[in-house]
Amino acid sequence: MFFTLLKRELMLARRNWVAILIPLFFFVMVVVLFPFAISPEAEFLQKIAPGVIWVAALLATLLSLDLFYRSDYSDGALEQLLLMASPTQVALAKIVAHWLMTGLPLVLVSPLLAGLMQLNYGLPQGILEANQTPILMLSLLLGTPTLCLLGAIGISLSLAASRNGILVAVMILPLYVPILIFGSATITASLENNGYNAQLAILGALLLFALALTPFATGRALKIAVS
Amino acid sequence: MSETASFGLKGRGITISRSEQILLEHVDLNFKAGTITHLFGENGTGKTSLMRALAGLLPLDSGSVFWNGYETSHPEANFTQDLLFLAHNLAMKHELSITENLQFYSALRGQKASKSKLLSVANELDIETLLDRHFAELSAGQQHKVSLCRLFLEKAKLWILDEPFVNLDARTRDWLSSQMMQFAASGGVVIFTSHQAIEGLKIHQQISLAHQTDEVLD
């Protein structure tokens, strides 16, 4: 049942590939703007890179939420899904598909941005351990699923309300703060040659915690949205 | 909680409200196996709300709904498997083809809509050439026909149909009536709303809903 739902979500996302790509471009564009707006100086860019990339990832996730929830709500398909499958399963299928189609591409495209933001500037060449790109990718890999999980609650609660876009942002952004802090702190710590395992561990813990609770909460919220 | 074993759908002491207005108050309803029930009443009297409440989408203010003697939320009732609810929204995805749309809903029920079965129902409804087209490319009437295909493809025991006859040509109306009668004859329960009387459809029970009263005629 779960895989039937997931297959459908992925198929719909593939048919809407243009809409799926927009958040990804948004992510890249936002980061690209910073060197233009502030300073192209490498040392400076390196300093702000973790924060900028993480904030952009967070906003891109927020931007893509609507795609996976709104159309099913407005054409009545959500009702049918909830009649035939358990709400938690419906929610989990949507969250997994959402991450696969929008979260994972952010992780994959992040090396490009690492180069652009001079993340590896001044580091000894050729020493693999000094390369910051894998750490950036790892922090995004652990952090973006949590963004999708938490965002799912927000969008589901706001489906029935009009003017939902802003509402979701206001509801969800405060919840994103811990992920933002530990996500960018991972890279900052690594840049300063400090240990970053603790930050990664906390990102992982947040992910597991959200994975355990949010599909259920999202399911209930979807159920309320259609009633 | 199990009531005395009785087949069909039963509502006990149902109260439904919408936007703080009470639509139904402490009403008992009985839809026996093998019967077709016509719900009618003016706009805004709560026909759709009642259907959604019976289907379990709209929470009841009081009372409960029983399916084959079990409360509908009870796993023994097998209600989600048995219920087929066609709402006013067609719930078909515009990006998917007709075949993909219909096969998904069958798969969600754990059933398989085979190509030949799809073709035969599409043939009866005159949409067999459109099966690979995207849902968005069809006319309103054709889209409606596609959603009706679900009645034929998915095995259910209770049909709740919100305005199924709207937008249909005479031939399809006849097809739908005969499907409904066949389904009832095989022990199914049909509940539908319609503003017009349907020629040739044998209705076993009529329930009229009226504004601001809790009276239900049988």
Side-chain angles (χ1 to χ4, degrees):
Chain A
M1 176 99 80
F2 173 74
F3 289 102
T4 312
L5 289 163
L6 182 61
K7 211 177 101 190
R8 166 182 181 272
E9 296 291 339
L10 294 176
M11 190 146 85
L12 283 169
R14 267 213 315 278
R15 298 283 160 91
N16 279 323
W17 61 274
V18 178
I20 293 291
L21 281 181
I22 290 173
L24 184 64
F25 276 107
F26 175 83
F27 176 57
V28 175
M29 291 310 296
V30 167
V31 178
V32 166
L33 288 179
F34 276 83
F36 290 121
I38 305 175
S39 151
E41 200 187 319
E43 272 171 55
F44 182 69
L45 283 181
Q46 186 181 31
K47 217 173 206 147
I48 62 165
V52 168
I53 294 175
W54 260 95
V55 168
L58 202 138
L59 294 177
T61 309
L62 215 54
L63 192 69
S64 59
L65 270 173
D66 230 31
L67 289 171
F68 285 81
Y69 298 85
R70 168 123 330 252
S71 92
D72 272 356
Y73 173 74
S74 45
D75 68 12
L78 187 60
E79 234 172 58
Q80 292 291 329
L81 297 183
L82 292 173
L83 279 176
M84 286 189 268
S86 90
T88 311
Q89 273 182 330
V90 173
L92 192 63
K94 283 190 172 297
I95 294 165
V96 171
H98 178 216
W99 182 73
L100 285 175
M101 300 310 280
T102 67
L104 190 59
L106 298 189
V107 179
L108 297 177
V109 86
S110 62
L112 181 77
L113 299 179
L116 191 88
M117 294 298 283
Q118 305 284 356
L119 200 60
N120 292 314
Y121 174 74
L123 297 172
Q125 289 294 311
I127 301 175
L128 205 61
E129 289 88 68
N131 195 334
Q132 302 298 319
T133 313
I135 296 154
L136 171 68
M137 290 179 79
L138 197 58
S139 74
L140 284 171
L141 192 65
L142 285 172
T144 46
T146 322
L147 298 180
C148 295
L149 287 160
L150 292 176
I153 301 186
I155 186 93
S156 308
L157 282 174
S158 72
L159 276 177
S162 54
R163 240 180 270 120
N164 64 89
I166 307 294
L167 188 62
V168 177
V170 171
M171 275 200 300
I172 288 303
L173 280 176
L175 296 176
Y176 278 179
V177 171
I179 308 157
L180 178 70
I181 291 173
F182 289 104
S184 60
T186 308
I187 309 154
T188 311
S190 160
L191 275 172
E192 289 164 357
N193 272 325
N194 292 331
Y196 50 82
N197 282 341
Q199 284 86 336
L200 279 182
I202 289 176
L203 279 183
L206 286 172
L207 170 58
L208 292 178
F209 182 68
L211 191 62
L213 294 182
T214 57
F216 178 72
T218 306
R220 301 310 304 172
L222 289 174
K223 194 94 191 176
I224 293 169
V226 299
S227 74
Chain B
M1 209 207 305
S2 156
E3 286 248 311
T4 45
S6 51
F7 289 97
L9 189 71
K10 270 204 179 100
R12 286 262 171 280
I14 293 179
T15 304
I16 307 171
S17 59
R18 198 85 182 122
S19 330
E20 301 192 4
Q21 192 201 345
I22 291 176
L23 297 167
L24 285 177
E25 209 169 3
H26 297 296
V27 172
D28 289 340
L29 297 163
N30 194 358
F31 308 94
K32 288 193 205 81
T35 61
I36 299 176
T37 303
H38 179 191
L39 284 180
F40 66 100
E42 288 166 37
N43 294 332
T45 47
K47 300 185 294 292
T48 300
S49 294
L50 173 58
M51 288 184 149
R52 290 169 53 83
L54 291 173
L57 287 168
L58 188 70
L60 301 171
D61 290 349
S62 74
S64 27
V65 182
F66 298 90
W67 174 241
N68 291 345
Y70 292 97
E71 235 174 303
T72 49
S73 56
H74 195 285
E76 282 281 324
N78 208 10
F79 188 62
T80 50
Q81 276 290 313
D82 289 347
L83 167 71
L84 177 49
F85 175 53
L86 292 190
H88 195 69
N89 277 338
L90 299 179
M92 295 282 167
K93 302 311 288 182
H94 284 214
E95 307 90 326
L96 302 184
S97 74
I98 295 173
T99 311
E100 287 166 337
N101 266 310
L102 292 171
Q103 279 180 338
F104 166 71
Y105 282 123
S106 293
L108 201 55
R109 226 174 256 281
Q111 300 165 357
K112 197 177 167 348
S114 66
K115 210 77 205 166
S116 59
K117 232 174 146 187
L118 260 169
L119 260 177
S120 78
V121 63
N123 232 326
E124 286 178 45
L125 288 171
D126 242 351
I127 51 172
E128 75 275 13
T129 52
L130 308 171
L131 281 178
D132 292 323
R133 293 261 212 102
H134 283 189
F135 189 71
E137 296 167 32
L138 309 187
S139 73
Q142 289 169 330
Q143 291 187 338
H144 197 112
K145 283 183 184 180
V146 172
S147 84
L148 292 178
C149 287
R150 291 187 57 194
L151 299 176
F152 184 87
L153 293 168
E154 292 168 36
K155 285 204 177 52
K157 288 176 187 135
L158 166 63
W159 288 357
I160 300 184
L161 315 172
D162 198 354
E163 293 290 349
F165 291 101
V166 155
N167 262 344
L168 295 183
D169 51 37
R171 230 187 93 193
T172 318
R173 261 207 307 276
D174 291 344
W175 178 86
L176 180 56
S177 326
S178 74
Q179 287 290 322
M180 283 162 71
M181 288 189 288
Q182 247 178 53
F183 180 69
S186 67
V189 180
V190 183
I191 305 168
F192 76 102
T193 58
S194 173
H195 282 295
Q196 75 252 61
I198 307 302
E199 265 175 68
L201 178 64
K202 191 173 173 298
I203 293 165
H204 304 86
Q205 179 175 231
Q206 284 204 322
I207 296 178
S208 132
L209 301 180
H211 275 295
Q212 300 183 337
T213 162
D214 51 5
E215 209 177 350
V216 168
L217 311 169
D218 199 318

